[in-house]
Amino acid sequence: MIIPKGPRLTPEQLHEVTSIVEEFGCRIQTINGTTRSVYAILGDERSETMRGRIEGLPYIDRIDSIQSPFKLMDVRSDLASHEIRIGGVAVRRQLLVIAGQCTIDPKNPNYFIETAHAVKEAGAHVLRGGVWKPRTNPYSFQGDNRSMEILLEASRQTGLPVNTEVMDEEHLRLAVEAGVHMIQVGTRNALNYSLLRQIGAAIAGRSTIVLLKRSRHMGPIDEFISAAEYIVNFGNPNVMLCPRGTMPTLEGYRSHPDESITPLLKERTWAPVIVDPSHSVGKATYVEACSLAAIAYGADGLCIEAHVNPAKGIGDDPKQSVTPDTLRRIVERARAVWALTRST
Ligand code: PEP
Ligand code: MN
Protein backbone atom coordinates (compact mmCIF):
# COMPACT_ATOMS: atom_id res chain seq x y z
CA MET A 1 0.00 0.00 0.00
CA ILE A 2 1.50 3.33 -1.08
CA ILE A 3 0.94 6.20 1.33
CA PRO A 4 1.50 9.68 -0.11
CA LYS A 5 2.72 12.60 2.02
CA GLY A 6 -0.34 14.67 1.15
CA PRO A 7 -3.98 13.56 1.25
CA ARG A 8 -3.85 12.28 -2.36
CA LEU A 9 -1.60 12.09 -5.41
CA THR A 10 -1.99 14.54 -8.27
CA PRO A 11 -2.79 12.95 -11.66
CA GLU A 12 0.84 13.49 -12.72
CA GLN A 13 2.18 11.84 -9.56
CA LEU A 14 -0.23 8.93 -9.98
CA HIS A 15 0.94 8.55 -13.57
CA GLU A 16 4.57 8.42 -12.47
CA VAL A 17 3.90 5.84 -9.74
CA THR A 18 1.78 3.76 -12.13
CA SER A 19 4.51 3.63 -14.75
CA ILE A 20 7.02 2.40 -12.15
CA VAL A 21 4.81 -0.44 -10.89
CA GLU A 22 3.92 -1.41 -14.46
CA GLU A 23 7.59 -1.99 -15.20
CA PHE A 24 7.38 -4.70 -12.53
CA GLY A 25 4.16 -6.23 -13.87
CA CYS A 26 1.92 -4.62 -11.20
CA ARG A 27 -1.04 -2.23 -11.27
CA ILE A 28 -2.30 0.52 -8.97
CA GLN A 29 -5.77 0.60 -7.45
CA THR A 30 -6.73 3.93 -5.90
CA ILE A 31 -8.88 3.73 -2.76
CA ASN A 32 -10.52 7.07 -2.03
CA GLY A 33 -11.14 7.61 1.67
CA THR A 34 -12.78 10.79 2.99
CA THR A 35 -9.66 12.40 4.34
CA ARG A 36 -7.02 10.65 2.23
CA SER A 37 -6.44 8.21 -0.57
CA VAL A 38 -4.19 5.18 -0.48
CA TYR A 39 -2.85 3.27 -3.45
CA ALA A 40 -2.83 -0.50 -3.45
CA ILE A 41 -0.19 -2.25 -5.52
CA LEU A 42 -1.90 -5.14 -7.28
CA GLY A 43 0.40 -7.97 -8.24
CA ASP A 44 3.64 -9.20 -6.75
CA GLU A 45 4.72 -6.16 -4.75
CA ARG A 46 7.81 -7.71 -3.21
CA SER A 47 10.47 -6.31 -5.55
CA GLU A 48 12.91 -4.27 -3.45
CA THR A 49 13.93 -2.23 -6.50
CA MET A 50 10.32 -1.24 -7.22
CA ARG A 51 9.68 -0.35 -3.60
CA GLY A 52 12.90 1.65 -3.38
CA ARG A 53 12.07 3.67 -6.49
CA ILE A 54 8.60 4.51 -5.21
CA GLU A 55 9.76 5.37 -1.70
CA GLY A 56 12.41 7.60 -3.26
CA LEU A 57 9.80 9.88 -4.84
CA PRO A 58 9.59 13.20 -2.98
CA TYR A 59 5.79 13.08 -2.53
CA ILE A 60 5.68 9.54 -1.13
CA ASP A 61 5.65 9.00 2.61
CA ARG A 62 6.13 5.23 2.61
CA ILE A 63 4.99 1.87 1.38
CA ASP A 64 2.98 0.33 4.14
CA SER A 65 3.54 -3.35 4.50
CA ILE A 66 1.38 -4.27 7.44
CA GLN A 67 1.19 -8.02 7.70
CA SER A 68 -2.52 -8.55 7.53
CA PRO A 69 -4.81 -10.71 5.42
CA PHE A 70 -6.92 -7.55 4.94
CA LYS A 71 -4.57 -4.67 4.33
CA LEU A 72 -7.32 -2.13 3.59
CA MET A 73 -9.77 -3.10 6.31
CA ASP A 74 -7.10 -3.55 8.97
CA VAL A 75 -7.42 -1.25 11.97
CA ARG A 76 -3.81 -0.14 11.34
CA SER A 77 -4.52 0.76 7.69
CA ASP A 78 -4.28 4.37 6.59
CA LEU A 79 -7.92 4.06 5.59
CA ALA A 80 -8.89 3.82 9.26
CA SER A 81 -9.72 7.54 9.29
CA HIS A 82 -12.29 7.02 6.52
CA GLU A 83 -15.68 8.26 7.58
CA ILE A 84 -18.90 6.86 6.16
CA ARG A 85 -21.75 9.37 6.15
CA ILE A 86 -25.37 8.54 5.47
CA GLY A 87 -28.74 9.97 6.46
CA GLY A 88 -27.04 12.90 8.23
CA VAL A 89 -24.99 10.55 10.43
CA ALA A 90 -21.20 10.43 10.63
CA VAL A 91 -20.97 6.72 11.29
CA ARG A 92 -18.83 5.65 14.28
CA ARG A 93 -19.22 9.13 15.80
CA GLN A 94 -23.02 8.96 15.98
CA LEU A 95 -25.45 6.07 16.34
CA LEU A 96 -26.80 4.87 12.98
CA VAL A 97 -30.29 3.38 12.83
CA ILE A 98 -31.47 1.48 9.76
CA ALA A 99 -35.09 0.33 10.00
CA GLY A 100 -37.98 -0.78 7.86
CA GLN A 101 -39.78 -3.82 6.59
CA CYS A 102 -38.12 -7.14 5.89
CA THR A 103 -40.06 -7.39 2.66
CA ILE A 104 -41.93 -4.86 0.54
CA ASP A 105 -45.31 -6.27 -0.39
CA PRO A 106 -46.06 -5.08 -3.93
CA LYS A 107 -49.75 -5.82 -3.40
CA ASN A 108 -49.90 -3.50 -0.38
CA PRO A 109 -47.53 -0.61 -1.15
CA ASN A 110 -49.21 1.64 1.40
CA TYR A 111 -47.90 -0.39 4.29
CA PHE A 112 -44.37 0.29 3.16
CA ILE A 113 -45.01 4.00 2.62
CA GLU A 114 -46.60 4.27 6.08
CA THR A 115 -43.76 2.25 7.62
CA ALA A 116 -41.24 4.58 5.99
CA HIS A 117 -42.81 7.68 7.56
CA ALA A 118 -43.21 5.93 10.91
CA VAL A 119 -39.60 4.70 11.16
CA LYS A 120 -38.36 8.15 10.26
CA GLU A 121 -40.52 9.59 13.02
CA ALA A 122 -39.13 6.95 15.41
CA GLY A 123 -35.55 8.03 14.74
CA ALA A 124 -34.31 5.90 11.79
CA HIS A 125 -31.73 7.44 9.46
CA VAL A 126 -31.93 4.84 6.69
CA LEU A 127 -35.00 3.00 5.41
CA ARG A 128 -34.64 -0.71 4.74
CA GLY A 129 -36.97 -2.67 2.47
CA GLY A 130 -36.45 -5.98 0.72
CA VAL A 131 -37.23 -5.83 -2.99
CA TRP A 132 -35.74 -9.28 -3.70
CA LYS A 133 -35.74 -11.91 -0.96
CA PRO A 134 -33.49 -14.91 -0.42
CA ARG A 135 -35.98 -17.48 0.81
CA THR A 136 -35.13 -20.87 2.21
CA ASN A 137 -38.22 -22.34 0.58
CA PRO A 138 -38.36 -21.96 -3.23
CA TYR A 139 -42.16 -21.68 -3.07
CA SER A 140 -42.12 -18.69 -0.71
CA PHE A 141 -42.48 -15.14 -2.09
CA GLN A 142 -39.16 -14.29 -3.75
CA GLY A 143 -39.62 -10.54 -4.12
CA ASP A 144 -40.70 -8.50 -7.11
CA ASN A 145 -38.99 -5.95 -9.37
CA ARG A 146 -42.04 -3.68 -8.94
CA SER A 147 -41.13 -3.18 -5.30
CA MET A 148 -38.16 -1.06 -6.36
CA GLU A 149 -40.54 1.72 -7.38
CA ILE A 150 -42.24 1.54 -3.97
CA LEU A 151 -38.87 1.75 -2.23
CA LEU A 152 -37.91 4.80 -4.27
CA GLU A 153 -41.27 6.46 -3.69
CA ALA A 154 -40.88 5.98 0.07
CA SER A 155 -37.41 7.49 -0.16
CA ARG A 156 -38.74 10.50 -2.10
CA GLN A 157 -41.56 11.09 0.39
CA THR A 158 -39.44 10.78 3.53
CA GLY A 159 -36.06 11.97 2.25
CA LEU A 160 -34.50 8.86 3.81
CA PRO A 161 -31.73 6.99 1.99
CA VAL A 162 -32.65 3.37 1.31
CA ASN A 163 -31.16 -0.08 1.77
CA THR A 164 -32.05 -3.23 -0.15
CA GLU A 165 -30.47 -6.63 -0.63
CA VAL A 166 -29.06 -7.79 -3.95
CA MET A 167 -28.47 -11.45 -4.70
CA ASP A 168 -27.15 -11.42 -8.23
CA GLU A 169 -25.71 -9.25 -10.96
CA GLU A 170 -29.12 -8.28 -12.35
CA HIS A 171 -30.35 -7.06 -8.94
CA LEU A 172 -27.09 -5.20 -8.53
CA ARG A 173 -27.47 -3.47 -11.88
CA LEU A 174 -31.07 -2.46 -11.13
CA ALA A 175 -30.20 -1.24 -7.63
CA VAL A 176 -27.23 0.84 -8.78
CA GLU A 177 -29.19 2.29 -11.71
CA ALA A 178 -32.04 3.19 -9.35
CA GLY A 179 -29.58 5.02 -7.08
CA VAL A 180 -30.13 2.79 -4.02
CA HIS A 181 -27.91 4.33 -1.35
CA MET A 182 -27.03 1.18 0.58
CA ILE A 183 -26.69 -2.27 -0.91
CA GLN A 184 -27.12 -5.19 1.42
CA VAL A 185 -25.25 -8.46 1.03
CA GLY A 186 -27.30 -11.04 2.88
CA THR A 187 -26.03 -13.84 5.06
CA ARG A 188 -26.40 -16.37 2.26
CA ASN A 189 -24.13 -14.41 -0.08
CA ALA A 190 -21.60 -13.15 2.44
CA LEU A 191 -19.08 -15.67 1.12
CA ASN A 192 -20.09 -15.41 -2.56
CA TYR A 193 -16.81 -13.95 -3.71
CA SER A 194 -17.86 -13.37 -7.31
CA LEU A 195 -20.86 -11.32 -6.13
CA LEU A 196 -18.63 -9.40 -3.70
CA ARG A 197 -16.27 -8.58 -6.57
CA GLN A 198 -19.14 -7.52 -8.83
CA ILE A 199 -20.44 -5.23 -6.10
CA GLY A 200 -16.98 -3.74 -5.54
CA ALA A 201 -16.67 -3.01 -9.25
CA ALA A 202 -20.22 -1.62 -9.54
CA ILE A 203 -19.89 0.85 -6.67
CA ALA A 204 -16.34 2.04 -7.38
CA GLY A 205 -16.38 5.79 -7.92
CA ARG A 206 -19.86 6.12 -6.36
CA SER A 207 -20.99 7.08 -2.88
CA THR A 208 -22.92 3.80 -2.47
CA ILE A 209 -22.50 2.01 0.85
CA VAL A 210 -22.52 -1.75 1.39
CA LEU A 211 -24.00 -3.43 4.44
CA LEU A 212 -22.26 -6.80 4.54
CA LYS A 213 -24.04 -9.32 6.73
CA ARG A 214 -22.11 -12.02 8.52
CA SER A 215 -22.58 -15.45 7.00
CA ARG A 216 -24.65 -17.75 9.15
CA HIS A 217 -21.88 -20.28 8.66
CA MET A 218 -18.99 -17.91 8.88
CA GLY A 219 -16.13 -19.18 10.93
CA PRO A 220 -13.21 -17.04 12.03
CA ILE A 221 -13.67 -13.31 12.39
CA ASP A 222 -10.94 -12.76 9.82
CA GLU A 223 -13.14 -14.46 7.24
CA PHE A 224 -15.80 -11.77 7.80
CA ILE A 225 -13.33 -8.90 7.46
CA SER A 226 -11.71 -10.49 4.40
CA ALA A 227 -15.11 -10.60 2.71
CA ALA A 228 -15.28 -6.80 3.11
CA GLU A 229 -11.76 -6.52 1.65
CA TYR A 230 -13.07 -8.17 -1.54
CA ILE A 231 -15.41 -5.20 -2.07
CA VAL A 232 -13.19 -2.38 -0.86
CA ASN A 233 -10.19 -3.27 -3.00
CA PHE A 234 -12.11 -2.06 -6.06
CA GLY A 235 -11.85 1.49 -4.75
CA ASN A 236 -14.92 2.34 -2.64
CA PRO A 237 -14.24 1.90 1.10
CA ASN A 238 -17.87 2.36 2.20
CA VAL A 239 -18.44 -1.06 3.72
CA MET A 240 -20.08 -1.74 7.09
CA LEU A 241 -20.08 -5.12 8.83
CA CYS A 242 -23.36 -6.54 10.09
CA PRO A 243 -23.40 -9.42 12.59
CA ARG A 244 -26.86 -11.01 12.31
CA GLY A 245 -26.57 -14.27 14.23
CA THR A 246 -25.04 -17.58 13.23
CA MET A 247 -25.87 -21.30 13.12
CA PRO A 248 -26.53 -23.55 14.96
CA THR A 249 -29.26 -21.60 16.66
CA LEU A 250 -29.45 -20.93 20.37
CA GLU A 251 -32.59 -22.80 21.27
CA GLY A 252 -35.52 -20.40 21.33
CA TYR A 253 -33.83 -17.86 19.06
CA ARG A 254 -33.75 -17.83 15.28
CA SER A 255 -29.93 -17.84 15.23
CA HIS A 256 -27.13 -17.75 17.75
CA PRO A 257 -26.97 -14.03 18.56
CA ASP A 258 -23.47 -12.71 17.84
CA GLU A 259 -23.50 -9.04 18.83
CA SER A 260 -20.74 -9.98 21.28
CA ILE A 261 -18.22 -10.28 18.43
CA THR A 262 -18.31 -6.47 18.07
CA PRO A 263 -15.27 -5.74 20.29
CA LEU A 264 -13.34 -8.53 18.56
CA LEU A 265 -14.09 -6.98 15.17
CA LYS A 266 -13.11 -3.57 16.42
CA GLU A 267 -9.72 -4.81 17.55
CA ARG A 268 -8.94 -5.84 13.99
CA THR A 269 -10.83 -3.53 11.64
CA TRP A 270 -11.91 0.09 11.42
CA ALA A 271 -15.12 -0.89 9.55
CA PRO A 272 -18.29 0.28 11.31
CA VAL A 273 -20.23 -2.52 12.98
CA ILE A 274 -24.00 -2.37 12.53
CA VAL A 275 -25.75 -5.18 14.38
CA ASP A 276 -28.97 -6.75 13.08
CA PRO A 277 -30.85 -7.93 16.19
CA SER A 278 -33.94 -8.96 14.19
CA HIS A 279 -32.42 -11.93 12.37
CA SER A 280 -30.34 -12.82 15.43
CA VAL A 281 -33.23 -13.45 17.77
CA GLY A 282 -36.05 -13.76 15.23
CA LYS A 283 -38.84 -12.62 17.48
CA ALA A 284 -40.05 -9.06 17.97
CA THR A 285 -40.17 -9.32 21.78
CA TYR A 286 -36.44 -10.08 22.03
CA VAL A 287 -35.24 -7.38 19.64
CA GLU A 288 -34.91 -4.61 22.22
CA ALA A 289 -32.59 -6.52 24.58
CA CYS A 290 -30.39 -7.63 21.69
CA SER A 291 -30.22 -4.05 20.36
CA LEU A 292 -29.15 -2.60 23.70
CA ALA A 293 -26.60 -5.37 24.23
CA ALA A 294 -25.15 -4.60 20.78
CA ILE A 295 -24.66 -0.94 21.65
CA ALA A 296 -23.15 -1.88 25.02
CA TYR A 297 -20.69 -4.12 23.16
CA GLY A 298 -19.63 -1.10 21.11
CA ALA A 299 -21.68 -1.44 17.92
CA ASP A 300 -21.97 1.71 15.81
CA GLY A 301 -25.55 1.12 14.84
CA LEU A 302 -28.52 -1.17 14.40
CA CYS A 303 -30.46 -2.60 11.49
CA ILE A 304 -33.96 -3.39 12.74
CA GLU A 305 -36.99 -4.82 10.98
CA ALA A 306 -40.06 -2.70 11.68
CA HIS A 307 -43.57 -2.56 10.26
CA VAL A 308 -46.62 -0.39 10.96
CA ASN A 309 -48.73 -3.51 11.20
CA PRO A 310 -46.47 -6.57 11.56
CA ALA A 311 -49.35 -9.05 11.43
CA LYS A 312 -50.19 -7.85 7.92
CA GLY A 313 -46.61 -8.09 6.71
CA ILE A 314 -44.97 -10.80 4.62
CA GLY A 315 -41.55 -12.49 4.82
CA ASP A 316 -40.10 -12.08 8.31
CA ASP A 317 -42.32 -9.15 9.24
CA PRO A 318 -45.12 -10.98 11.11
CA LYS A 319 -42.60 -12.74 13.39
CA GLN A 320 -39.82 -10.32 14.01
CA SER A 321 -40.77 -6.79 13.00
CA VAL A 322 -41.22 -4.34 15.84
CA THR A 323 -43.88 -1.64 15.73
CA PRO A 324 -42.87 2.01 15.29
CA ASP A 325 -43.59 2.65 19.01
CA THR A 326 -41.21 -0.09 20.03
CA LEU A 327 -38.64 1.16 17.55
CA ARG A 328 -38.85 4.65 19.06
CA ARG A 329 -38.24 3.21 22.53
CA ILE A 330 -35.31 1.10 21.30
CA VAL A 331 -33.71 4.13 19.65
CA GLU A 332 -34.11 6.26 22.79
CA ARG A 333 -32.66 3.55 25.02
CA ALA A 334 -29.89 2.73 22.55
CA ARG A 335 -28.89 6.41 22.66
CA ALA A 336 -28.82 6.23 26.46
CA VAL A 337 -26.60 3.13 26.40
CA TRP A 338 -24.39 4.80 23.80
CA ALA A 339 -23.98 7.87 26.02
CA LEU A 340 -23.23 5.72 29.05
CA THR A 341 -20.66 3.50 27.39
CA ARG A 342 -18.96 6.10 25.18
CA SER A 343 -18.43 8.59 27.99
CA THR A 344 -15.90 6.44 29.84
C1 PEP B 1 -33.03 -9.55 5.62
O1 PEP B 1 -32.34 -8.59 5.99
O2 PEP B 1 -34.26 -9.52 5.50
C2 PEP B 1 -32.34 -10.84 5.39
C3 PEP B 1 -32.82 -11.77 4.57
O3 PEP B 1 -31.22 -10.91 6.10
P1 PEP B 1 -30.18 -12.11 6.29
O4 PEP B 1 -29.46 -12.20 4.99
O5 PEP B 1 -29.32 -11.65 7.41
O6 PEP B 1 -30.96 -13.35 6.61
MN1 MN C 1 -35.77 -10.36 7.03
Side-chain angles (χ1 to χ4, degrees):
M1 192 77 52
I2 301 170
I3 316 297
K5 283 190 177 141
R8 35 191 55 103
L9 296 177
T10 64
E12 296 73 33
Q13 292 167 342
L14 180 58
H15 181 73
E16 187 173 20
V17 171
T18 303
S19 40
I20 296 175
V21 302
E22 281 176 355
E23 279 181 46
F24 294 86
C26 296
R27 287 190 299 119
I28 292 288
Q29 171 66 59
T30 305
I31 321 283
N32 287 317
T34 2
T35 50
R36 61 176 311 137
S37 294
V38 297
Y39 302 84
I41 306 174
L42 305 184
D44 186 354
E45 55 174 310
R46 284 170 304 179
S47 161
E48 285 304 324
T49 319
M50 176 180 79
R51 298 169 78 91
R53 277 179 55 191
I54 295 169
E55 281 184 326
L57 297 169
Y59 47 84
I60 297 298
D61 181 21
R62 65 187 191 284
I63 295 185
D64 207 336
S65 30
I66 48 171
Q67 293 302 311
S68 169
F70 31 85
K71 293 188 188 319
L72 299 169
M73 301 313 291
D74 195 284
V75 73
R76 295 163 295 171
S77 148
D78 278 71
L79 267 183
S81 61
H82 177 61
E83 186 164 271
I84 298 179
R85 297 189 73 97
I86 184 149
V89 171
V91 185
R92 294 195 297 177
R93 287 198 282 133
Q94 295 159 289
L95 176 73
L96 179 71
V97 179
I98 304 168
Q101 290 176 200
C102 170
T103 307
I104 301 172
D105 179 355
K107 295 205 185 94
N108 289 296
N110 286 344
Y111 279 131
F112 191 71
I113 303 290
E114 284 171 34
T115 295
H117 287 281
V119 299
K120 181 181 182 185
E121 187 70 18
H125 310 102
V126 179
L127 173 65
R128 60 153 289 153
V131 172
W132 305 287
K133 296 308 298 182
R135 303 304 297 278
T136 307
N137 187 324
Y139 306 114
S140 304
F141 176 66
Q142 306 282 315
D144 190 318
N145 282 2
R146 287 174 303 165
S147 297
M148 178 58 80
E149 195 37 53
I150 303 168
L151 182 68
L152 298 178
E153 177 59 21
S155 178
R156 279 191 290 270
Q157 287 192 21
T158 57
L160 290 178
V162 288
N163 160 292
T164 204
E165 175 172 350
V166 302
M167 289 175 286
D168 59 35
E169 211 172 355
E170 175 67 356
H171 298 160
L172 174 61
R173 186 182 63 75
L174 292 171
V176 170
E177 273 175 20
V180 166
H181 311 85
M182 186 184 291
I183 285 176
Q184 180 170 306
V185 181
T187 194
R188 294 161 181 82
N189 277 306
L191 297 178
N192 178 347
Y193 298 122
S194 14
L195 182 65
L196 299 181
R197 278 199 208 92
Q198 284 162 357
I199 292 174
I203 65 165
R206 297 177 180 266
S207 57
T208 320
I209 293 169
V210 174
L211 184 70
L212 175 65
K213 298 265 193 122
R214 186 176 188 212
S215 164
R216 299 199 277 192
H217 305 293
M218 205 171 269
I221 281 176
D222 285 3
E223 197 174 30
F224 192 11
I225 306 172
S226 297
E229 185 93 1
Y230 264 94
I231 302 171
V232 169
N233 72 17
F234 280 88
N236 178 339
N238 292 335
V239 177
M240 309 195 294
L241 300 177
C242 181
R244 50 77 72 210
T246 54
M247 294 287 148
T249 61
L250 190 59
E251 204 182 333
Y253 290 147
R254 173 174 174 163
S255 313
H256 192 113
D258 60 349
E259 69 281 354
S260 59
I261 68 162
T262 303
L264 306 178
L265 287 169
K266 289 199 162 280
E267 268 170 24
R268 297 177 208 201
T269 179
W270 56 266
V273 178
I274 309 297
V275 168
D276 170 351
S278 305
H279 294 84
S280 260
V281 297
K283 199 166 173 205
T285 43
Y286 305 135
V287 168
E288 178 170 339
C290 185
S291 302
L292 302 186
I295 302 303
Y297 271 116
D300 302 291
L302 299 165
C303 177
I304 300 179
E305 289 187 341
H307 193 293
V308 273
N309 190 344
K312 298 278 174 157
I314 58 174
D316 294 332
D317 288 311
K319 277 178 300 176
Q320 64 192 38
S321 266
V322 297
T323 61
D325 280 346
T326 304
L327 179 67
R328 180 180 303 108
R329 192 179 64 226
I330 293 173
V331 174
E332 275 167 19
R333 292 183 176 175
R335 285 193 203 292
V337 177
W338 176 289
L340 199 65
T341 49
R342 300 323 191 259
S343 63
T344 51

